[in-house]
Amino acid sequence: MLYTADSLHELIEEFAQLPGIGRKSAQRLALYILKLPKEEVAAMAAALMNVKEKMRYCTTCWNFTETDPCPVCSNPKRDANIICVVEEPNDVMAIEKTNDYRGHYHVLGGALAPLEGIGPEDLKVKELLVRITPEVHEVILALNPNIEGEATTIYLTRLLKPLGVDVTRLARGIPIGGDLEFADEATLSRAIEGRVAV
Amino acid sequence: MHLTSLTLKNFRNHSDTAFDFGEGINVLLGDNGQGKTNVIEAISYLCLTKSFYAASDGFVLGFGKEMFEVESTIATESGHLRRVRVAYSADANEKVFSVNRQKIEPFSSVIGTFPVVICSPEHAPITSGSPADRRRFVDLVISQSSAVYFHDLLEYRRVLRHRNKVLSDARWKQEDTAAVLEPWNEQLVTFGGSLTWRRKHFVEEFQSFITTAYHHLVGTEEEPAIGYKPGTRIDECASQKDVEALLRSELAEKGAAEARLGITLVGPHRDEIPLTINGLDLRRFASQGQHKTFLVALKLGEFFYLKERCDETPIVLLDDVFSELDEHRSLKLLRYVEELNQTFVTSTTPQVFDHLLQRSGKHKLFMIQNGALVQERPSALA
C-alpha cells in the first residue's frame, strides 16, 4: 500500500516492526498518535528515549535496571543466598507479582537453542557460576517448560551440582483453579508422572 | 461423526462450491483435473489442519486469490453440531482454525478431535516406499488416538533437530561438545523412549486389525503382518524405563560415530516397520495388486483402531482407490465401506456406483466439473 504522506507511512512501518503488531494495528496506532495533542506525543517520545538512555543491565543479575546494582540485588531485606534463574526479564516481573519470592534473580537472556544458534556462551552462564559463593544455599531453575528450557535446566544442573549448592526446579502440572477435565493430556500425563506423596 | 455440509472458497480450482452430504457414501464424480481430489483435500484441512499431501497453504490457494476458506458443519455422535472453519490469508501468511467461532490454538490440539482415515495414491509409499513413509503412517494413526503421543512426537522432532545441529556444528569446531550435547541426550531418551514404547504396543495391537481387514478383502490364503524393528534391540525391555536405559547406553556407544557423521544415530527416527505377506517382505516380493490390497487393509485397520479409541468414529476419504480395482473387487470393497461411517469417494467412472445409489438414501453422488458442482443425485431420485 502507498500512502500520500511519507511521515505517516514511516510511522506505520515503525509500529509494524513491533512484536505482536500487524499492519492493520500499526495503521490504527499511527492514526491514533496523529490525533493526540502535541504535548502527549512529546511525553510519549520522551518516555521512549528515556527508557533507552537510562535502562541498562544490572551487572549482578542481568535484569534491566536504572541503577546498578538493581533494586532487587541491593535490597538488604532480600535473601542473597537464594538465586532464581530465569530466561528473560519478563519472567522476573511474573515471579515478582507473586510477592512470595524474597530471594535474588539471575537472568540468562534466553535458553539453549542450537537451531537458533544460541549456545551456552550466548547466555549469562559464567556470570551465574561466579555468583555461587559458599553462602549461596539454593539455586531455583525457573526456566520455561519446553524442550529448550529443559535442556538449559539439565545443562545448568550439571554445572551447579559440583559447586555444592542445592539445585531445585519448578513443579510441572495442573494450573490452580483449573478443572482436571480441561487440562490438556500432555500436561495431565506429566502431572501424574510428577505426583507427590501426601 | 459426519459432515453435513461443506463450502470451499478459492480453494484450488473451487472458487465457491457448496455441498450437502449424505450420511453414507458420497461419490465425487468427474473427469481428470476437475477438482474431485480438492474436495478430499479440503476435508483433510478440517480434520488435520493441513493438506494430506505435503502441499503448503500457498499452493492450495486459488490462482491469483488472496485467501481461501473451508467451512463445514460436523455432526458429532453426541448430536452436537460443530461449525469448523479453516481460513488462510496469503497477504498476512496467516491461517486460522476455529470451531464454533472460537479460535483453536495451537493447531496441534485439533488432531484427534475429528478423526479421519485417508487413502489416496499419495499413500502408496507406505507399502512400497522408505521406512520414513511407514513411520509417518504409524505416527498419524497413534497421534489421532493419543494426544500424549502426538505431543511427544513433536517434542522429539524438535529435540532431534537441535541435537543434529549441535553435532553438525561440532564437526567444524575443535572443542569438546559432550557438555552441550548432554541436555539433548536426556530429552532424546525421554521422548524417544515414549515413542518407541508406544509404537511397540501399537504394532502389537494393530496386527489383528490388519489381518481382519486383509482377509475380508482377499480371503485367508495370505497372511499379512506388521512388525516393529526399532533401531534399538528392545526385545528384553519390560517397561518404558528399560527402553530409556537402552537408548542411553546406545547413545554412549555410538558417540564417536555420531561425532564423525554429524547426525543422530540412535532413536525412533530410525525405526523400521516391516510389512510382510506370508513372511515375505512386501517391498521385494509383492505384486501391484498385493500392494494396493495391503494399503487398503492398513487403512481399514486404521479405521477400526481409531473407532475403538477416539470419541468419534472417523470419516473415511478414498481418493482414486477404485481406479485400479476390477468391478468385482470394487463392489466388494464398496459393500465393506458401506458399513463403516460417512465416506467420500472420488472416481471417474459412474458405473460402479449405480447399484449403491439405489440401495440406500444415505448415499449421494456429486458431478464435479471445472471446480464447480454441476449435478447432485440423491439416491431417492436416481
Side-chain angles (χ1 to χ4, degrees):
Chain A
M1 249 181 282
L2 277 174
Y3 297 91
T4 42
D6 280 349
S7 56
L8 183 59
H9 181 70
E10 200 178 315
L11 185 58
I12 291 171
E13 289 296 322
E14 290 296 332
F15 277 131
Q17 285 176 27
L18 298 177
I21 306 284
R23 292 213 54 89
K24 277 195 180 138
S25 305
Q27 204 170 318
R28 205 177 311 130
L29 288 174
L31 291 172
Y32 174 79
I33 300 266
L34 199 57
K35 284 183 194 153
L36 282 181
K38 205 169 180 180
E39 312 76 78
E40 281 189 41
V41 179
M44 199 182 288
L48 283 174
M49 286 312 291
N50 244 338
V51 77
K52 198 63 203 166
E53 271 162 20
K54 288 192 182 157
M55 292 302 251
R56 55 193 130 149
Y57 288 109
C58 168
T59 48
T60 309
C61 71
W62 302 94
N63 195 1
F64 284 128
T65 177
E66 276 189 29
T67 56
D68 188 10
C70 72
V72 174
C73 290
S74 55
N75 184 346
K77 286 186 189 151
R78 299 189 73 124
D79 187 349
N81 296 326
I82 301 180
I83 298 173
C84 178
V85 181
V86 295
E87 290 180 20
E88 301 287 351
N90 32 356
D91 299 327
V92 174
M93 290 183 212
I95 298 176
E96 278 301 280
K97 268 196 253 165
T98 65
N99 270 327
D100 271 337
Y101 179 67
R102 305 304 297 160
H104 282 206
Y105 290 99
H106 189 87
V107 181
L108 289 173
L112 292 178
L115 283 171
E116 279 88 58
I118 302 174
E121 61 286 352
D122 303 301
L123 304 173
K124 302 288 180 206
V125 174
K126 279 194 218 88
E127 290 81 352
L128 171 65
L129 297 181
V130 298
R131 291 180 69 185
I132 313 300
T133 54
E135 294 79 44
V136 173
H137 54 79
E138 184 178 354
V139 174
I140 305 170
L141 299 176
L143 302 160
N144 289 332
N146 51 33
I147 59 162
E148 290 82 6
E150 184 64 25
T152 314
T153 299
I154 296 169
Y155 180 78
L156 292 177
T157 309
R158 201 70 54 180
L159 293 177
L160 291 167
K161 276 269 175 74
L163 303 178
V165 62
D166 278 347
V167 183
T168 56
R169 58 177 304 163
L170 297 191
R172 291 190 285 192
I174 309 299
I176 307 266
D179 279 342
L180 276 192
E181 63 167 323
F182 294 128
D184 72 273
E185 290 87 340
T187 306
L188 202 49
S189 102
R190 295 289 173 262
I192 290 173
E193 232 173 70
R195 66 190 181 274
V196 290
V198 289
Chain B
M1 64 173 231
H2 66 272
L3 274 60
T4 63
S5 67
L6 176 74
T7 55
L8 315 181
K9 290 199 175 116
N10 298 334
F11 190 90
R12 295 220 186 238
N13 70 346
H14 290 268
S15 53
D16 191 353
T17 313
F19 296 92
D20 280 310
F21 292 126
E23 280 185 45
I25 297 179
N26 294 277
V27 183
L28 302 158
L29 210 59
D31 291 337
N32 295 139
Q34 301 302 309
K36 305 181 296 292
T37 301
N38 300 349
V39 179
I40 300 278
E41 194 180 20
I43 298 173
S44 91
Y45 259 92
L46 296 170
C47 299
L48 304 174
T49 76
K50 57 178 186 178
S51 171
F52 65 88
Y53 49 99
S56 76
D57 300 325
F59 276 126
V60 174
L61 188 63
F63 187 73
K65 296 296 193 319
E66 286 228 330
M67 71 175 293
F68 75 70
E69 187 183 71
V70 178
E71 199 168 0
S72 172
T73 302
I74 297 181
T76 66
E77 260 135 74
S78 50
H80 295 288
L81 292 180
R82 302 256 184 275
R83 196 97 191 114
V84 184
R85 178 175 178 270
V86 192
Y88 168 78
S89 143
D91 202 22
N93 189 19
E94 188 189 38
K95 187 157 69 172
V96 177
F97 193 102
S98 66
V99 177
N100 291 347
R101 289 170 181 261
Q102 280 216 307
K103 262 199 203 180
I104 307 286
E105 264 174 346
F107 289 161
S108 60
S109 63
V110 176
I111 307 300
T113 314
F114 306 113
V116 64
V117 174
I118 310 172
C119 189
S120 89
E122 303 286 331
H123 293 105
I126 295 175
T127 64
S128 59
S130 68
D133 294 302
R134 283 177 287 286
R135 287 195 297 270
R136 207 172 297 129
F137 165 73
V138 165
D139 283 341
L140 184 59
V141 183
I142 315 179
S143 292
Q144 287 200 81
S145 64
S146 161
V148 175
Y149 183 87
F150 189 43
H151 170 268
D152 287 359
L153 178 68
L154 296 179
E155 299 287 61
Y156 181 80
R157 285 185 185 155
R158 250 170 82 205
V159 169
L160 189 64
R161 278 167 52 217
H162 276 307
R163 193 173 185 275
N164 281 341
K165 186 73 171 49
V166 173
L167 284 168
S168 78
D169 284 353
R171 288 206 293 169
W172 313 110
K173 293 183 201 161
Q174 289 305 311
E175 65 192 64
D176 179 34
T177 50
V180 201
L181 213 49
E182 194 184 356
W184 304 107
N185 289 356
E186 216 20 68
Q187 297 194 82
L188 187 94
V189 164
T190 309
F191 294 117
S194 159
L195 295 187
T196 305
W197 192 243
R198 284 164 194 269
R199 279 182 186 171
K200 172 179 144 62
H201 280 279
F202 166 77
V203 166
E204 285 165 8
E205 283 176 63
F206 199 58
Q207 175 63 56
S208 68
F209 288 98
I210 299 175
T211 308
T212 310
Y214 197 90
H215 285 174
H216 194 99
L217 292 172
V218 296
T220 52
E221 293 95 80
E222 295 181 355
E223 279 303 330
I226 182 169
Y228 184 44
K229 229 169 85 189
T232 320
R233 316 161 299 267
I234 60 161
D235 306 343
E236 322 240 300
C237 293
S239 72
Q240 194 173 317
K241 286 271 167 273
D242 291 352
V243 178
E244 288 175 14
L246 198 61
L247 288 172
R248 208 172 280 122
S249 72
E250 281 211 5
L251 274 177
E253 222 171 88
K254 299 212 173 131
E258 285 193 332
R260 199 171 57 245
L261 297 167
I263 49 161
T264 300
L265 296 174
V266 177
H269 64 290
R270 299 177 70 86
D271 286 356
E272 165 63 303
I273 293 131
L275 305 175
T276 56
I277 292 177
N278 293 340
L280 294 175
D281 182 11
L282 203 62
R283 277 208 292 176
R284 290 182 56 198
F285 299 105
S287 71
Q288 291 290 334
Q290 282 173 316
H291 274 286
K292 185 96 183 181
T293 313
F294 207 108
L295 180 65
V296 174
L298 282 174
K299 289 294 173 178
L300 291 172
E302 179 180 0
F303 173 84
F304 287 106
Y305 180 85
L306 291 179
K307 183 181 170 159
E308 207 172 283
R309 271 177 185 68
C310 297
D311 295 336
E312 301 286 332
T313 305
I315 54 168
V316 181
L317 312 181
L318 303 177
D319 182 25
D320 216 10
V321 169
F322 293 91
S323 58
E324 289 164 47
L325 298 177
D326 56 50
E327 198 175 328
H328 173 72
R329 283 206 176 180
S330 294
L331 285 173
K332 195 165 178 184
L333 179 60
L334 215 51
R335 287 248 179 217
Y336 195 45
V337 167
E338 236 180 317
E339 309 294 317
L340 303 179
N341 189 22
Q342 188 181 39
T343 301
F344 299 84
V345 176
T346 67
S347 179
T348 48
T349 48
Q351 293 88 328
V352 189
F353 305 102
D354 276 347
H355 304 285
L356 185 78
L357 288 175
Q358 285 152 17
R359 263 206 305 279
S360 159
K362 292 193 303 181
H363 308 313
K364 272 182 142 183
L365 194 140
F366 303 87
M367 269 300 275
I368 296 182
Q369 213 171 70
N370 202 11
L373 176 61
V374 291
Q375 195 196 354
E376 183 176 329
R377 269 168 62 200
S379 47
L381 301 176

